[in-house]
Each structure stands twice: as structure tokens, then as C-alpha cells.
Amino acid sequence: MKDVRKLLSRQSKDILPDASVKESIKQELGYSEKSPTLAYAHGGQKTLRKNQLLALCAAALLLLCCLIGAFFALRETKLPISSIHNKFENITDADSFYAYGAASVGTILSSGGFSSAEPVSALSARAGDERVEAINKYMALVESLLSENAIQSAAVEGKLGYAYGMTVTYTDLLGETVQYTMYYDKQFLSVEADDDEAEENYAIFGILVAAGQSYPVEGVYESKTSDDETEDELNFKAFTDETKRSYIEVSRENETETEGADSETESEYVYSVYADGKLVEETAIEYEKEGDELELKLTVEKGGKKEELTFRSGKENDERVLFARGKLDGVSVSFRVYIRQGEYHYVFDDGSSSDHHRFDDDDDDDDDDDDDDDEKDRDRRSL
């Protein structure tokens, strides 16, 4: 081995390029053995050391990274948890539950998601459309639950033969106000007294006015607490046919995890769709915290398939967008939903896009007030 090294050393001058070739290459590359210099305005020069060059390169790289970060920050703006209102936290009694039920079910009904004649644009014929059909009917609900403001309710005078009335209002992601009205009668189930406060649990029977149509509704709110155990029954139904065998129902399901002396309860709201008395679709919705963001998880089960998606709200180029990720038909996907007047514009990570109808609730719920007395009585008797 040593003999080989000696042989290579002796013949290196014949194998490796000589000094003239090296110098020629340096000149071609513009490299000089002398240290680079900076020229001052007054004619002086200063030699730059190697570490100074490295510092300048590092500063330039840092500036480039900042510019790139600023560019993407302008494109996509995330909204902190404090700006999005968790609608579930406000459901604490019968009034707030029925307000939420009327708002959420009214949103689903008004979106036309369960109508066979759902309006869809020509772009829907593209490949991405099938993936969207399962979730588009819930997009108005997702939008409402990720809006910044709480669902507001106010008592109004009972009409159409009912003793009580309630309007429910929320703001969508474009800042527009959406409102539904419910007229109903009460059936008291129980009264819980605590010091000077009393909570009334009651069932309701009435109608929900949404998108110019009236839907018969029923609801139950009953919560019982004894020692460390709480039992509750919460459901709200809106019937979509005269036989009352087809309807949408929302109910609350709680799950309590206990670790030592600490316990944590998570709530999700489940929307069940029945057609002719048979369950055809079930969707669970729950809030999740991801870092400093509040997200919404949507799980749809239909025909033996399960679609799972997580949504967060933000902006892109000052346009309101829902960013989604999860699984559709067993395939991992991520996409954006651009919120626009009259439509949802879907853009998938594979480059495909699809436009679907977005319901704009500009109908006047008071139109039903012009019905004559015979129609009012007939509506009441049909419930």
C-alpha cells in the first residue's frame, strides 16, 4: 500500500493539472487568490475576510426567508380561537338548545342539500364533484359553526295558533345575517330549583319557518343530575313530509373521560336523516383545538361509507376560505372552499375544482303571516 502511495505521489505532477491550468480555471470562474475588496466612495478599499462574507450571505438568506414568509402570510391568514365562537358552549338550557336546533336544522333545510333538484353549476360535472356531493349539503352548517359570532335568539309573539315564538339569528362568513323563526307550544317536563334560580325543562311542538317554507318540528330537552351522574335527553326534529316518517333530527351525545380525580366531557351533535322511517345518513359534528386555532370535525356515515373532514376558517388574498383535510371515500384529501355569493368554489390539492350552490337566505320569513286563518288552523292540526 505504501508503494502505491509513493508511486502516486511521484507521478501526481503528470496526472493532475499543472498550475497554469488551475489559474486558467480560476480566471474563467472569476476567482482570485486575493481577498475580495469593497471600494469606498472616497476611493479607499477594505478587504473582506471570509467570516464577513459568511455573515453577509447569512443576512441575505434571512432577508429572503422573511420575504417568502411575508408573501405566504399575505396569501393565507389564520384566525385565532378567540375570533371564532364555539356555539356548543352556549347550549346550557332548553331555550338555547331549541335555538341551536332551529338554526342548524334550518340551515340544512334551507341549503337544499336534501332536495333531489339541488342546483349545481356546470363545473360540477368535473371529476371532483362526486367527492363534494356528500358534504356540500352540510357546508352552510359548517360555515355557520365557524363564524365569529354566537347564535342569538329572541322571544317573539306567538302566531299561527301557537302560544310562543322565537327568532334565531347568526352571521355567516361573508358577514350577512341569517334568520329563522319558530312558533311552538310547550309541554313542561320538570323544573329544577337552585337557590333563587329555576331551570325549566320542556318539550316543544310547532313549526319552523325557513326559506319561505314551514316544517313541523318537535323537540325534547330534559336534563337530570344526581350526585356525580348526569342524564339528559336532547333532540330536535324537523319533518320533511306529511307522514312524519321523513325528518332531520339533531341530538347531543356526551363522552366523559376520567383520569384520577379529573374528568373531561366532550360533546358532539349528531344529525340523523330519516327517509320513510329508515335511517339513511348520520353526521357527527364537534369542535377541536389545534394549537391556537379552533377547528370543526365533520364525520358523515352513509351507505356503509364514512367520510371524515376537519375544517378551519381563514382568508386567502382577503377572500374567506374554509381549509379542509381528511378522508373522502377512503382517500386522503385536502382542499379549499372559497365562500362566494351564491356558490362554494372547491379546489382540491390535485388541481381539480368544482362549484356548488351556496344558499343565500334572503327570503322573508314573515311571508307566512299573510296566510288566512283556515291555513293556520290546518297547519296546527297537521302536527
Side-chain angles (χ1 to χ4, degrees):
M1 185 67 180
K2 291 181 179 179
D3 294 336
V4 175
R5 290 178 178 173
K6 290 179 181 179
L7 180 62
L8 291 173
S9 176
R10 288 196 302 268
Q11 296 182 356
S12 62
K13 61 182 180 180
D14 299 323
I15 299 173
L16 299 175
D18 58 20
S20 63
V21 175
K22 294 180 183 178
E23 187 62 27
S24 176
I25 293 174
K26 291 178 181 178
Q27 291 178 1
E28 289 292 329
L29 295 175
Y31 178 82
S32 174
E33 288 288 341
K34 298 179 180 180
S35 299
T37 60
L38 286 179
Y40 290 108
H42 53 69
Q45 291 184 333
K46 179 179 180 181
T47 300
L48 288 178
R49 297 182 182 275
K50 191 174 183 179
N51 58 348
Q52 291 175 309
L53 281 175
L54 291 175
L56 283 174
C57 291
L61 182 60
L62 178 61
L63 177 60
L64 178 62
C65 292
C66 292
L67 291 174
I68 294 174
F71 171 76
F72 283 103
L74 288 174
R75 285 178 55 81
E76 178 180 335
T77 304
K78 297 180 179 179
L79 301 181
I81 288 178
S82 59
S83 69
I84 299 176
H85 196 90
N86 185 331
K87 310 299 188 292
F88 296 167
E89 292 180 348
N90 280 27
I91 303 176
T92 57
D93 56 17
D95 289 344
S96 56
F97 173 73
Y98 293 134
Y100 172 78
S104 61
V105 173
T107 296
I108 295 174
L109 291 170
S110 298
S111 69
F114 296 95
S115 169
S116 59
E118 181 183 4
V120 179
S121 75
L123 285 178
S124 297
R126 294 184 178 179
D129 181 61
E130 291 184 1
R131 296 174 293 182
V132 177
E133 288 180 352
I135 58 172
N136 189 70
K137 56 195 166 202
Y138 293 104
M139 284 309 304
L141 178 60
V142 171
E143 182 183 346
S144 69
L145 293 176
L146 286 178
S147 62
E148 284 81 353
N149 300 317
I151 295 175
Q152 304 288 339
S153 65
V156 296
E157 181 182 357
K159 292 183 179 180
L160 305 178
Y162 295 99
Y164 302 92
M166 174 191 296
T167 60
V168 291
T169 307
Y170 69 86
T171 304
D172 64 20
L173 289 182
L174 294 183
E176 298 175 348
T177 299
V178 181
Q179 185 176 90
Y180 304 109
T181 305
M182 183 168 64
Y183 301 109
Y184 58 96
D185 288 331
K186 294 182 180 181
Q187 178 184 343
F188 288 95
L189 303 173
S190 63
V191 177
E192 296 182 2
D194 184 10
D195 296 331
D196 295 332
E197 297 182 1
E199 179 181 324
E200 298 177 339
N201 297 327
Y202 61 90
I204 63 169
F205 307 88
I207 62 168
L208 173 65
V209 182
Q213 298 188 46
S214 297
Y215 299 90
V217 294
E218 295 179 1
V220 173
Y221 181 97
E222 188 168 17
S223 179
K224 297 180 180 179
T225 302
S226 59
D227 297 330
D228 297 331
E229 185 177 356
T230 300
E231 296 180 5
D232 56 33
E233 180 183 359
L234 283 69
N235 64 69
F236 180 90
K237 299 178 183 178
F239 299 94
T240 56
D241 69 355
E242 295 180 355
T243 67
K244 290 191 175 183
R245 290 176 55 81
S246 298
Y247 56 91
I248 300 175
E249 176 185 29
V250 55
S251 59
R252 184 177 74 182
E253 294 186 3
N254 292 329
E255 181 179 347
T256 302
E257 296 182 1
T258 303
E259 184 175 345
D262 299 328
S263 63
E264 182 178 355
T265 301
E266 295 182 354
S267 297
E268 66 178 14
Y269 284 78
V270 179
Y271 294 81
S272 303
V273 180
Y274 287 83
D276 197 23
K278 297 180 180 179
L279 177 65
V280 296
E281 187 171 329
E282 193 170 76
T283 301
I285 293 180
E286 59 184 315
Y287 285 101
E288 293 184 342
K289 288 184 179 180
E290 181 65 27
D292 61 348
E293 290 184 279
L294 192 64
E295 300 183 331
L296 195 71
K297 183 178 180 181
L298 182 77
T299 305
V300 182
E301 295 186 50
K302 180 180 181 180
K305 294 183 179 181
K306 178 183 289 189
E307 318 288 0
E308 295 181 329
L309 292 170
T310 300
F311 295 87
R312 60 180 175 84
S313 178
K315 289 185 178 181
E316 189 175 272
N317 295 332
D318 292 328
E319 185 174 13
R320 291 308 300 257
V321 184
L322 291 173
F323 301 91
R325 69 182 188 279
K327 287 188 175 182
L328 287 177
D329 200 17
V331 179
S332 296
V333 296
S334 63
F335 58 92
R336 289 169 166 80
V337 186
Y338 295 85
I339 314 297
R340 296 170 179 171
Q341 291 289 349
E343 73 172 19
Y344 293 115
H345 179 59
Y346 293 79
V347 178
F348 282 81
D349 52 2
D350 62 4
S352 63
S353 64
S354 180
D355 287 349
H356 281 248
H357 174 69
R358 174 181 180 265
F359 179 78
D360 294 319
D361 187 17
D362 54 4
D363 294 292
D364 187 358
D365 289 342
D366 293 333
D367 289 346
D368 290 86
D369 294 346
D370 297 333
D371 294 340
D372 57 35
D373 293 336
D374 292 339
E375 290 178 328
K376 295 178 183 179
D377 293 338
R378 185 165 58 252
D379 286 340
R380 180 176 173 81
R381 288 195 300 270
S382 67
L383 298 173

